[in-house]
Amino acid sequence: MSEDYCTIREAPTPRTADGPPYAECVQCRKPTEYPESYKGITLCPVCEWQEAQLTACSG
């Protein structure tokens, strides 16, 4: 029996925008690389990295 404590779920990634207007980051309100028309949670690259660090498995 495998003891897999860390499950990885692949979330759909929105396509990056070709240019402005950009969606706001839901945490810091800075522009993201995603189009403003994207529906869902958008994070800027810095907040995405910080979120990944917080939710990463330390194994």
Side-chain angles (χ1 to χ4, degrees):
M1 184 167 148
S2 172
E3 292 189 30
D4 186 17
Y5 294 103
C6 182
T7 58
I8 298 173
R9 295 184 191 146
E10 298 224 5
T13 305
R15 65 174 181 80
T16 56
D18 295 329
Y22 298 107
E24 283 187 346
C25 176
V26 296
Q27 291 181 350
C28 70
R29 298 305 213 202
K30 291 183 182 177
T32 67
E33 54 191 25
Y34 305 115
E36 192 174 59
S37 62
Y38 177 74
K39 303 295 182 209
I41 296 173
T42 54
L43 298 172
C44 69
V46 173
C47 290
E48 279 185 4
W49 183 82
Q50 290 173 343
E51 186 72 20
Q53 292 296 313
L54 291 173
T55 59
C57 293
S58 60

